[in-house]
Amino acid sequence: MSYQTIWNGRSGYGGRKHTLRNILLILLALGVLCFAALEVYIGLHSRTTGERTGPGPQVMVIFGCKVEPWGPSVLLQDRLDTALDYLKDHPDMTVVVTGGKGDDEHISEAQCMYDYLTEHGVDGGNIYLEDRSRNTWQNVNYTLELLGTEVEAGRLAKPQGYVLVSSGFHLSRIQMLWARAGGTGEPSTLAAPVSHTPSAIQMFFREPLALVKSFVFDR
């Protein structure tokens, strides 16, 4: 084999290697751009949007999070305390607490939230428990199903507006799924702070992936 043949072979291998590296770099850059775009989208929807008053009753929906053996997790307590601040000025508001019982939880998230709210002065007669759901898509659908049943039975006036309460990072996904599930109107939102730093870091990386998953599969 001549030297020229060997050189051409090595040159061809080096060229293919260079091309593959460029493709990988392009894919990496696109991935970073997509991740950044998702973070911007999440950030734009992570704020309290203010109260939208209407001629009829308003319903607050509080979305669940992990329950610890001693009570609500830090993230869940952040959501509940945010709801309590709002309910001080709206004590007669109907509230739906939503979240089922996970395999590592001793009670449902809805029951934990009910207990916390009533211990802090909220009238238990104004609270409905949606305690079957295991994810955000089910949170939304089961909540709308529960409210529809109560309205049809005459136990609840038809809601004319909604206030959705969750951690700021979670609200973009909730609003997307709310509209997809047929939730009426444009709900207002209450963005709870994330006071637990490790959770904030974890959700920074997790929520864009969860948003894509929900966009594709939650239908």
Side-chain angles (χ1 to χ4, degrees), residues 101-163:
K101 178 181 177 298
D103 295 335
D104 58 347
E105 296 173 321
H106 65 288
I107 59 173
S108 71
E109 295 168 7
Q111 184 63 56
C112 179
M113 289 189 280
Y114 177 91
D115 294 343
Y116 188 90
L117 292 174
T118 54
E119 287 170 4
H120 287 78
V122 178
D123 184 355
N126 293 335
I127 304 175
Y128 289 86
L129 282 75
E130 182 291 292
D131 57 3
R132 297 184 294 148
S133 57
R134 301 295 292 267
N135 55 49
T136 303
W137 178 233
Q138 292 179 356
N139 288 157
V140 170
N141 279 274
Y142 292 162
T143 293
L144 293 173
E145 179 184 313
L146 170 64
L147 292 173
T149 299
E150 293 299 308
V151 170
E152 290 179 6
R155 292 186 291 266
L156 180 68
K158 184 177 180 180
Q160 300 300 310
Y162 298 90
V163 181

Side-chain angles (χ1 to χ4, degrees), residues 22-193:
N22 287 343
I23 291 173
L24 292 175
L25 288 174
I26 291 172
L27 291 175
L28 177 61
L30 289 174
V32 171
L33 287 174
C34 289
F35 184 85
L38 289 169
E39 289 290 0
V40 170
Y41 178 82
I42 291 169
L44 290 174
H45 293 81
S46 65
R47 297 168 292 181
T48 295
T49 56
E51 181 181 0
R52 291 185 176 87
T53 58
Q58 307 283 307
V59 173
M60 172 183 285
V61 182
I62 310 174
F63 288 79
C65 194
K66 183 174 175 57
V67 174
E68 302 289 359
W70 54 86
S73 61
V74 177
L75 284 181
L76 184 53
Q77 187 170 336
D78 287 339
R79 299 176 189 185
L80 291 167
D81 289 341
T82 299
L84 285 169
D85 285 341
Y86 188 91
L87 291 171
K88 288 177 183 177
D89 297 324
H90 306 81
D92 297 325
M93 193 172 204
T94 298
V95 178
V96 179
V97 288
T98 178
K101 178 181 177 298
D103 295 335
D104 58 347
E105 296 173 321
H106 65 288
I107 59 173
S108 71
E109 295 168 7
Q111 184 63 56
C112 179
M113 289 189 280
Y114 177 91
D115 294 343
Y116 188 90
L117 292 174
T118 54
E119 287 170 4
H120 287 78
V122 178
D123 184 355
N126 293 335
I127 304 175
Y128 289 86
L129 282 75
E130 182 291 292
D131 57 3
R132 297 184 294 148
S133 57
R134 301 295 292 267
N135 55 49
T136 303
W137 178 233
Q138 292 179 356
N139 288 157
V140 170
N141 279 274
Y142 292 162
T143 293
L144 293 173
E145 179 184 313
L146 170 64
L147 292 173
T149 299
E150 293 299 308
V151 170
E152 290 179 6
R155 292 186 291 266
L156 180 68
K158 184 177 180 180
Q160 300 300 310
Y162 298 90
V163 181
L164 309 181
V165 184
S166 192
S167 306
F169 64 80
H170 195 203
L171 290 174
S172 60
R173 188 152 48 105
I174 290 172
Q175 291 176 82
M176 177 186 71
L177 296 177
W178 186 269
R180 183 176 291 177
T184 57
E186 184 181 359
S188 61
T189 58
L190 286 178

Side-chain angles (χ1 to χ4, degrees), residues 187-206:
S188 61
T189 58
L190 286 178
V194 182
S195 59
H196 187 241
T197 301
S199 294
I201 295 172
Q202 178 185 3
M203 294 304 169
F204 177 84
F205 293 100
R206 177 185 179 276

